[in-house]
Amino acid sequence: MNDTVKNIDQYMDGKELESSIVSAPSLLADRFREFSNAAPFISFFKLFIDPVLVVVTLYLLSIPFDIAMDGYEFVLGALSFLLTALLLDGMFLFIPGYSRSWLGLGRFIVEWLGVVIGLILIGRVSGFINYYHPPFVITWFIVAPIVLIGVHMAIRVYVLRVDSGENAEHSKVVVVGVNHPSQILVKNINEEPFLKMDFIGYFDDRSVSRLPKSAAEHLIGGLDAIPQFVKLHGVKKIFISLPMSSQPRVLDLIDELKDSTASIYFIPDLFVFDLINARFDNVAGMPIVAICESPFMGLNGVVKRISDIVLSVLILMMIWPILLGIALAVKCTSEGPVFFKQRRYGENGDSVLVYKFRSMTVMEDGDKVVQATKNDQRLTSIGSFLRKTSLDELPQFINVLQGKMSIVGPRPHANAHNEQYRKLIKGYMIRHKVKPGITGWAQVNGFRGETDTLDKMQSRIKYDLDYLRNWSVWLDLKIIVLTVVVIFRDRNAY
């Protein structure tokens, strides 16, 4: 059971293999691990082995350089642990195909460079960089990734015991049902030798003409032929991937297979639902399947919050003169307060007060709020410039520190707009399962500013939900970089 759950984990984590169904397999993997005794070790390893190795390398290098590991060096170790945990994937051993490719190694190097750049930026902003011995730090920057790669390779060879030779003992595997999940599983089995499984073929009652060509070539027969085939060919593992509507057939098949010693596993076809962070969970001892859930549950939520705090503090430290200048400009060019506060829907639909620099002569926050339009007469003399450059949004970094918003997430709409569009767009309220963001995936894909048609709002919601399905720290960083580019090129913000 443990081996196969880990195998399914491999299958589920191979999210880059099929972009059209990227969300469910990778997210379901998180809960599959909970049903295996080996799962806690695997999860712990993925999350902490790289940060620990980086800090240990720093400590060991301090010996020949005669550096005392206290004070500023302790701060360096803590920051490197945090940034490594946030930015290094720590997964290239486990993702099918990824671990053996040059692309995987290249991404690993880029991630490490991200850690290095992050440490340098924090060091310069804080002034810590002046207290470190340059040869010591530079040597560590070079040695640490070499150690990481070496340890990963050693684990693959001596712990996972990857062996694709003729003498390797592999379990014979058959798959019942041809669909997206079963095809991804088969692809991963064929690509990853450390799974130690040999795929024999599919069983499906449909004719060859109704199956994808790649699957039809491996079709053994219909479901009636499975019990006899399993006995004659020593099949060890059977994966059943049939739709939920086939429950009676699945039950009958399991009854017939009880006369064999093969292990039987069921792959639920959850793609019939519009999945948001689909995963297995356990409530009061009862296993359940989450169909629609926030991606920031558990450790993901901790990672998201830490990255928000670190980035917002760094950004506020750099932009405080700009904030002061804008505040003075707003106060001097029009009557009214510097900040505009408006109630928006926050996480789980709770009301939050969002801060902005005031860019209009009105302070709308009621049941009816009119979106800003081109040449809007309500704009102050500097309001148009503030909105087009998004400088009016800068006070929202304070909202981020308060925990009411994230740097990246679905942009919050006025409450009046939420009540209007929730009745018109299916799945509209799902975007409120997470904290709203200063910028978002929709905004960097051309849906920034006025949404004067239902189609524009539907497209914005589509990108917001795609963000929830595919969230990662790297996607957040990509959106932040693209936001800077969009601000200088976009003409849709008024």
Side-chain angles (χ1 to χ4, degrees):
M1 175 65 177
N2 295 346
D3 291 342
T4 303
V5 172
K6 183 172 69 176
N7 294 337
I8 296 177
D9 189 6
Q10 304 296 334
Y11 145 58
M12 294 300 186
D13 275 339
K15 55 187 178 182
E16 79 274 25
L17 297 176
E18 291 288 339
S19 59
S20 63
I21 53 175
V22 67
S23 59
S26 58
L27 295 174
L28 282 172
D30 294 337
R31 291 308 178 195
F32 266 121
R33 299 185 191 109
E34 294 183 3
F35 290 86
S36 167
N37 292 332
F41 169 76
I42 295 171
S43 299
F44 178 85
F45 175 82
K46 291 181 182 180
L47 294 173
F48 294 112
I49 188 65
D50 286 348
V52 169
L53 285 173
V54 166
V55 175
V56 169
T57 304
L58 180 69
Y59 172 76
L60 293 177
L61 282 175
S62 70
I63 298 174
F65 279 93
D66 197 22
I67 302 292
M69 285 300 294
D70 54 12
Y72 292 108
E73 281 68 29
F74 180 80
V75 173
L76 179 61
L79 288 174
S80 63
F81 185 96
L82 175 62
L83 288 178
T84 303
L86 286 175
L87 300 181
L88 238 62
D89 203 337
M91 298 273 285
F92 71 91
L93 278 175
F94 300 91
I95 298 177
Y98 179 50
S99 57
R100 294 172 292 149
S101 67
W102 286 107
L103 178 63
L105 181 60
R107 176 172 172 176
F108 179 79
I109 293 173
V110 170
E111 289 171 349
W112 175 249
L113 289 176
V115 174
V116 171
I117 293 171
L119 289 172
I120 293 174
L121 288 176
I122 295 174
R124 288 196 175 279
V125 171
S126 63
F128 284 171
I129 198 169
N130 299 318
Y131 295 93
Y132 298 118
H133 184 46
F136 166 60
V137 176
I138 293 172
T139 303
W140 174 61
F141 284 161
I142 296 172
V143 172
I146 297 174
V147 171
L148 292 177
I149 294 172
V151 171
H152 278 239
M153 292 177 63
I155 291 172
R156 282 187 64 83
V157 174
Y158 298 108
V159 178
L160 299 178
R161 297 184 183 278
V162 177
D163 185 0
S164 57
E166 295 181 358
N167 297 324
E169 294 184 4
H170 288 194
S171 300
K172 293 181 179 179
V173 172
V174 296
V175 176
V176 182
V178 177
N179 50 32
H180 280 306
S182 65
Q183 287 181 282
I184 296 177
L185 174 61
V186 170
K187 185 173 185 179
N188 291 350
I189 288 174
N190 290 334
E191 288 186 350
E192 281 299 324
F194 72 83
L195 294 178
K196 298 183 180 180
M197 292 193 290
D198 284 332
F199 170 66
I200 305 301
Y202 291 101
F203 287 90
D204 198 298
D205 282 340
R206 291 174 293 175
S207 63
V208 173
S209 60
R210 295 176 57 194
L211 300 177
K213 184 177 179 181
S214 58
E217 296 174 352
H218 300 283
L219 183 65
I220 298 173
L223 269 61
D224 293 340
I226 297 175
Q228 188 67 17
F229 183 90
V230 168
K231 292 179 184 178
L232 292 177
H233 295 84
V235 174
K236 299 298 183 183
K237 292 175 173 43
I238 303 168
F239 292 92
I240 301 175
S241 183
L242 294 174
M244 293 182 178
S245 58
S246 302
Q247 181 183 0
R249 284 197 302 166
V250 173
L251 293 176
D252 291 341
L253 177 60
I254 291 176
D255 282 339
E256 294 180 23
L257 291 173
K258 286 180 180 178
D259 190 33
S260 72
T261 58
S263 299
I264 306 169
Y265 306 95
F266 180 69
I267 306 173
D269 186 6
L270 298 178
F271 297 104
V272 296
F273 303 104
D274 184 14
L275 301 174
I276 303 291
N277 193 31
R279 58 192 175 85
F280 285 94
D281 210 332
N282 189 292
V283 175
M286 178 67 67
I288 62 171
V289 179
I291 301 299
C292 183
E293 181 57 280
S294 166
F296 305 127
M297 298 293 290
L299 183 66
N300 281 351
V302 175
V303 171
K304 178 72 167 175
R305 182 63 185 141
I306 291 175
S307 62
D308 276 340
I309 293 173
V310 171
L311 291 174
S312 59
V313 167
L314 289 175
I315 291 171
L316 285 170
M317 290 174 67
M318 291 186 288
I319 68 171
W320 71 264
I322 299 175
L323 294 176
L324 181 59
I326 295 174
L328 292 173
V330 171
K331 195 64 178 177
C332 294
T333 56
S334 63
E335 295 183 0
V338 170
F339 295 109
F340 166 54
K341 302 176 183 178
Q342 189 177 63
R343 285 173 291 128
R344 305 285 178 94
Y345 278 14
E347 188 176 17
N348 295 319
D350 297 334
S351 180
V352 298
L353 202 60
V354 174
Y355 307 142
K356 300 177 69 172
F357 282 122
R358 184 174 55 82
S359 59
M360 289 188 171
T361 57
V362 298
M363 302 284 283
E364 295 176 341
D365 190 22
D367 295 333
K368 184 178 181 180
V369 177
V370 180
Q371 284 187 319
T373 59
K374 191 172 184 180
N375 300 319
D376 199 309
Q377 297 301 310
R378 299 170 297 167
L379 292 170
T380 64
S381 58
I382 64 170
S384 178
F385 171 75
L386 292 178
R387 296 179 69 91
K388 187 169 183 59
T389 57
S390 291
L391 291 174
D392 62 322
E393 311 282 0
L394 294 182
Q396 288 169 25
F397 284 105
I398 300 173
N399 285 127
V400 174
L401 284 180
Q402 291 175 331
K404 297 178 180 178
M405 293 182 65
S406 272
I407 294 178
V408 179
R411 281 292 299 152
H413 303 148
N415 288 359
H417 295 152
N418 288 327
E419 295 303 320
Q420 174 189 353
Y421 287 112
R422 70 187 299 175
K423 302 172 184 177
L424 301 175
I425 301 175
K426 182 180 179 181
Y428 178 88
M429 291 302 292
I430 295 176
R431 69 197 299 273
H432 298 292
K433 294 192 71 64
V434 302
K435 295 175 184 177
I438 298 176
T439 184
W441 188 228
Q443 283 63 46
V444 299
N445 278 282
F447 294 95
R448 174 173 173 258
E450 184 184 10
T451 49
D452 53 349
T453 67
L454 184 61
D455 286 344
K456 285 184 179 180
M457 184 60 80
Q458 286 175 327
S459 297
R460 177 180 286 188
I461 302 308
K462 174 180 176 293
Y463 279 105
D464 286 341
L465 298 187
D466 282 345
Y467 170 77
L468 299 187
R469 294 187 184 99
N470 303 307
W471 173 82
S472 69
V473 173
W474 282 106
L475 179 58
D476 275 0
L477 294 175
K478 177 181 178 181
I479 292 172
I480 292 171
V481 172
L482 289 177
T483 298
V484 177
V485 177
V486 166
I487 287 174
F488 293 101
R489 297 170 57 181
D490 187 35
R491 298 181 179 180
N492 294 329
Y494 310 122

